[in-house]
Each structure stands twice: as structure tokens, then as C-alpha cells.
Amino acid sequence: MALQENKHLTFMIGKEVYGLPILKVTEIIGMMKITHVPGMPEYVKGVINLRGKIIPTLDLRLKFGLESREYDDKTSIIVVEINKDGNSHLSGLIVDTVSEVLDIEEENIELPPTYGNDINSEFISGIGKKNDKVIIILNADKIIMQKDAEKVLNLNNEA
């Protein structure tokens, strides 16, 4: 398990490179039918049925305040394990394209910059550097805002 700790799955949203610790990723799938669920935050596109499991699915473009775009054959859903209040839940994260798995050593990860109270960067755990790339490393457990978490994660239980 120690060999996996520095590995990050990288992906693109717009022109930016993001990463998630590989230990949080359960699988990567292509786009599939998403069932809309009323009353959810805009960035929650709905739920998918993945081999009998109902998984809430979030569009990271919308989550990050970017314009939505048409999904294409490179658009992927990264299924991650999220821990909230001691419970484990699966969530799907829609990204423009999945890139590669990178080994980013701890000494090459800096704390995210703080810009004051106006910017919510609590879901960013660090900024990684690998060769000439800058990678925004996300904290999967905090991508769903606390105020939305109960609504969104309860979708897992309503199958």
C-alpha cells in the first residue's frame, strides 16, 4: 500500500490538470446515462446505476464554476470513495478527460495558496509539481460541500 501513497490519477478540466490520490479511485468509466434527481445542487448531474449500485454523479466543471460543455467520447466518470462522518460512499466525478497516473513525491506538493475568505479552496489539498506540470490535487472527501453532503450522499441509500 505504501507504494500507492504518492500516486495520483491526473485529469483535465478545461486547460488545467487536476489530480486525485489513486487510493481514492475505485474505477474510471466512460459516460453513461445519468438520471436527473430534482432538488440537487446544480453541479450534481444525477445518479448512475453502476452494476446495481446507485452512485451520485457530479460535474466538476460546474462545481468549479466553469461553463458546462457537451460531453464527448473523452469525457469520463471517475468513481471515487468519499468518507463523510465515518461512512464510506461512492461518487462519480465527471471530467473532460483522464490523463495518466503520476508519482508525485510528498516534497513536490505544496499547500494550496490562500486567497482570503472569498475563495472556497477547502477541496484542494495541495499543488503538485511534476516535471513541467502543475497539478491541482483535490481532496475527494471535501469535493461535496458540507451543506450539500447529506442530500447528495443519501442518494447512495435510496436505491
Side-chain angles (χ1 to χ4, degrees), residues 132-151:
D132 60 345
K133 292 181 184 172
V134 174
I135 301 124
I136 301 167
I137 299 173
L138 302 177
N139 180 334
D141 295 336
K142 294 187 176 179
I143 287 176
I144 301 174
M145 301 299 260
Q146 193 59 44
K147 64 182 174 65
D148 298 328
E150 190 171 322
K151 275 197 288 189

Side-chain angles (χ1 to χ4, degrees), residues 18-33:
Y18 292 86
L20 283 166
I22 198 72
L23 293 174
K24 294 301 252 178
V25 176
T26 62
E27 63 186 293
I28 302 163
I29 57 175
M31 282 304 296
M32 58 189 299
K33 181 182 181 322

Side-chain angles (χ1 to χ4, degrees), residues 7 10 14 25 39 41 50 53 55 60 64-65 69 79 86 95-96 99 110-111 114 116 145-146 152 157 159:
K7 294 197 180 306
T10 61
V25 176
L50 185 62
K53 288 186 178 168
I55 300 174
L60 287 186
F64 298 160
R69 75 171 185 98
V79 180
V95 302
D96 292 353
S99 301
E110 296 180 13
L111 292 174
T114 55
M145 301 299 260
Q146 193 59 44
V152 174
N157 304 324

